[in-house]
Amino acid sequence: MEHRGLGWPRLPRLLELLAALAVQAVRASAVAAASPDLCLWPMPLSVQTTPRVLHLSPDNFFFGHSSTSKAGPSCSLLQEAFRRYYDYIFGFYKWHHGSADLRVGVELQQLQVSVILDPECDTFPKISSDESYTLLVKGPVASLTANRVWGVLRGLETFSQLIYQDFYGTDAMAFNKFNVLHWHIVDDQSFPYQSVTFPGLSKKGSYSSSHVYTPNDVRMVIEYARLRGIRILPEFDSPGHTQSWGEGQKDLLTPCYNGKEPSGAFGPINPIWNTTYSFLSKFFKEISTVFPDEFIHLGGDEVDFHCWASNPEIQDFMRDKGFGRNFKKLESFYMQAVLDMISARNKNSIVWQEVFDDASKLMPGTVIQVWKMEDYTQEQSKVTEAGFPVILSAPWYLDWISYGQDWKQYYAVDPLSFEGSQEQKKLVIGGEACLWGEYVDATNLTPRLWPRASAVGERLWSHKDVRSLEDAYRRLKIHRCRMLRRGIAAEPVFTGYCDHEDRM
């Protein structure tokens, strides 16, 4: 899901998740076909319940639009969401119970959806998207009200979790209300992104011709995510982590030297050649067009200065610039040029904390991602005191595996525990559950992520007073079983089994 290693190499198919800070409100005056205890995950900001139980039948229930809603049947995003959640709710029931078997009691027949403002049906989610909603389950007709379609998506997930029996799906991020996939799409080992402008980058820099993300693949990922209210945030990390770039782009990387002779090895991107910036300007012009999100992650972490230090041309350049032997100034010179390119494309930038630490001249609004575990609260204080927004990932590295229920340590984090004013703390715009891919592929990605990442999701969505490990454990066990029924191979929270396994 997400990222930052402690000095180790990172593989290109890294997944990263950024969860929103809060959902405004949920009200449930009754629980539809509910389990004995409320088992929502993540817990909404506000919940009210009564003991009353309603029943649902796949033959007698449907999702509908309120007559006053600004969105209607023409909103394909909501129509697809209705279809998807109908399957989540009733698929397992129909497989294992056949036709409807209603018990005596009040039947819930409809969830009526109302979008109050411009629904944004055909747009992409963004960092300022309104994901608030109000859900009221009361009688034959329940209501879900939201300002935008993004709130409807979050409310549909909460509604589906109120149902005792539901089914399977393929998008665990949406089930846990994560709303950003941080796609660290290239790294030292491989350049799988198939560029239209520079096709040689993936042709020569990927593992093989079949290990690439074609333009159609990228469009499919972006649209699949959009329908679930998830942003795709691309990262093209430089000047370090770029060995694979050099395979397909001549004279991009810095030649390393042994004394006065080239060693044959290459280091980070060469920051002193005009051809470097000409290439990057054209490349990021394409990236700005392909990815609709307002942010591009530019990396800037873990740059090894040894090769730069060995290169006589770079030594002369630094002398002329008055940088002396301070290679952090050289990195800042490079990063400033790339940041300006992104700004010229009307995009905003996210960078790793080294770019801030090295005193780069950053324009207001540049987001700093704090990833180093040591003293991360002090780093948050420094960055926010300087007025920059922060994404926190340091305490949420899921690639660190430990024996036992390590989800508890992720759950216990308070992302606002640093010293600073309330204005500073408002600059923490989210957090990431992080998983690097050195020892992860399709065989173990899903169980390593879930339900461990779920703990991060609740910490970033729910009220700060939702802290009970005992209650979280109870709900997380049930949520893990819910994910299993939806086809997500989430690993066990602890020993035990899921109720639906009795009926398989």
Side-chain angles (χ1 to χ4, degrees):
M1 316 235 305
E2 162 174 310
H3 117 184
R4 258 348 66 172
L6 298 179
W8 49 48
R10 298 188 302 274
L11 298 183
R13 291 196 178 187
L14 169 71
L15 300 176
E16 303 180 2
L17 306 183
L18 168 64
L21 286 175
V23 60
Q24 284 189 351
V26 176
R27 291 186 294 117
S29 63
V31 179
S35 56
D37 298 301
L38 194 65
C39 295
L40 301 177
W41 195 282
M43 184 63 74
L45 186 62
S46 174
V47 180
Q48 298 174 0
T49 65
T50 72
R52 188 183 185 196
V53 173
L54 305 176
H55 303 289
L56 290 85
S57 161
D59 298 326
N60 297 318
F61 177 84
F62 69 97
F63 296 101
H65 298 275
S66 165
S67 60
T68 60
S69 178
K70 295 294 181 66
S74 62
C75 182
S76 59
L77 184 146
L78 288 187
Q79 293 302 115
E80 166 61 20
F82 291 168
R83 180 204 61 77
R84 192 165 65 245
Y85 276 94
Y86 184 90
D87 283 344
Y88 295 158
I89 292 169
F90 294 113
F92 185 89
Y93 180 88
K94 288 192 291 185
W95 274 20
H96 295 273
H97 295 273
S99 61
D101 180 23
L102 279 180
R103 294 164 288 175
V104 176
V106 177
E107 181 180 6
L108 180 61
Q109 298 175 353
Q110 181 184 2
L111 177 64
Q112 194 171 84
V113 172
S114 179
V115 180
I116 297 174
L117 304 176
D118 175 13
E120 301 182 348
C121 289
D122 300 319
T123 66
F124 290 91
K126 50 186 181 289
I127 194 169
S128 59
S129 291
D130 188 341
E131 298 179 274
S132 63
Y133 63 93
T134 298
L135 174 63
L136 179 62
V137 183
K138 192 173 183 180
V141 178
S143 65
L144 172 57
T145 305
N147 288 331
R148 313 284 188 184
V149 292
W150 318 116
V152 175
L153 294 177
R154 305 302 170 232
L156 286 172
E157 177 58 33
T158 297
F159 177 76
S160 75
Q161 292 184 14
L162 292 172
I163 312 301
Y164 185 68
Q165 301 236 29
D166 51 19
F167 186 44
Y168 78 107
T170 56
D171 193 331
M173 285 182 64
F175 301 158
N176 290 273
K177 300 182 182 175
F178 282 89
N179 59 15
V180 177
L181 172 65
H182 179 163
W183 195 355
H184 187 92
I185 196 168
V186 301
D187 212 305
D188 278 329
Q189 294 81 3
S190 178
F191 197 107
Y193 171 78
Q194 192 177 82
S195 169
V196 175
T197 310
F198 299 98
L201 289 170
S202 61
K203 186 176 181 180
K204 296 182 179 180
S206 64
Y207 288 135
S208 73
S209 59
S210 62
H211 289 86
V212 297
Y213 299 110
T214 68
N216 189 56
D217 292 334
V218 173
R219 285 192 295 269
M220 182 178 67
V221 169
I222 292 171
E223 180 62 10
Y224 186 91
R226 185 187 78 87
L227 292 174
R228 289 151 180 81
I230 297 171
R231 297 161 49 209
I232 300 296
L233 170 65
E235 180 181 355
F236 290 88
D237 194 359
S238 73
H241 296 288
T242 50
Q243 288 298 298
S244 64
W245 299 48
E247 299 294 327
Q249 185 64 24
K250 185 180 179 182
D251 297 331
L252 179 65
L253 302 184
T254 303
C256 306
Y257 276 70
N258 281 329
K260 295 183 179 181
E261 299 296 325
S263 67
F266 293 88
I269 284 178
N270 194 317
I272 71 170
W273 290 340
N274 291 334
T275 53
T276 293
Y277 301 103
S278 176
F279 158 74
L280 289 172
S281 179
K282 295 174 184 176
F283 180 73
F284 281 116
K285 179 181 179 181
E286 174 185 325
I287 297 306
S288 298
T289 303
V290 169
F291 292 92
D293 199 77
E294 63 202 273
F295 284 93
I296 295 176
H297 204 306
L298 297 176
D301 67 315
E302 300 179 326
V303 181
D304 189 337
F305 296 145
H306 289 91
C307 187
W308 281 353
S310 74
N311 185 289
E313 282 189 286
I314 288 183
Q315 293 171 13
D316 292 342
F317 180 87
M318 292 189 61
R319 190 179 306 111
D320 293 342
K321 288 288 186 181
F323 293 166
R325 299 287 293 177
N326 188 343
F327 289 96
K328 291 183 178 181
K329 290 185 177 181
L330 181 60
E331 182 185 6
S332 295
F333 172 86
Y334 168 87
M335 290 302 303
Q336 186 60 57
V338 179
L339 286 162
D340 288 344
M341 291 178 196
I342 302 305
S343 178
R345 296 291 167 194
N346 294 316
K347 297 277 190 175
N348 296 315
S349 299
I350 302 176
V351 293
W352 298 109
Q353 68 181 76
E354 289 95 321
V355 179
F356 171 83
D357 293 340
D358 295 345
S360 295
K361 294 179 181 179
L362 302 176
M363 61 190 63
T366 302
V367 179
I368 312 300
Q369 185 153 0
V370 175
W371 69 272
K372 293 185 177 182
M373 187 62 181
E374 57 275 16
D375 301 325
Y376 71 83
T377 57
Q378 294 181 29
E379 184 76 7
Q380 286 179 284
S381 296
K382 289 191 297 183
V383 173
T384 56
E385 186 177 22
F388 292 104
V390 164
I391 295 171
L392 179 64
S393 59
W396 291 314
Y397 274 70
L398 306 184
D399 46 292
W400 284 95
I401 303 295
S402 59
Y403 182 77
Q405 299 184 53
D406 57 358
W407 68 270
K408 292 182 178 180
Q409 69 192 42
Y410 307 134
Y411 193 81
V413 172
D414 181 353
L416 301 180
S417 63
F418 62 93
E419 292 186 6
S421 66
Q422 287 304 309
E423 290 303 311
Q424 284 179 252
K425 297 188 178 186
K426 289 179 182 178
L427 289 171
V428 179
I429 62 173
E432 292 192 5
C434 322
L435 182 64
W436 283 113
E438 293 91 340
Y439 304 102
V440 176
D441 64 12
T443 65
N444 65 346
L445 172 65
T446 299
R448 188 164 291 190
L449 284 176
W450 311 106
R452 297 163 74 235
S454 304
V456 183
E458 176 147 300
R459 181 50 51 235
L460 291 167
W461 267 91
S462 302
H463 193 279
K464 64 180 181 180
D465 294 334
V466 179
R467 311 293 297 188
S468 168
L469 282 175
E470 182 179 358
D471 178 66
Y473 175 75
R474 177 188 64 82
R475 290 185 293 111
L476 189 57
K477 283 197 306 180
I478 294 172
H479 185 58
R480 181 255 176 175
C481 293
R482 178 186 295 129
M483 286 193 282
L484 288 181
R485 293 197 302 271
R486 294 181 179 186
I488 304 302
E491 68 180 16
V493 180
F494 190 54
T495 57
Y497 71 98
C498 296
D499 289 343
H500 74 269
E501 294 173 336
D502 283 338
R503 298 182 289 274
M504 297 298 286

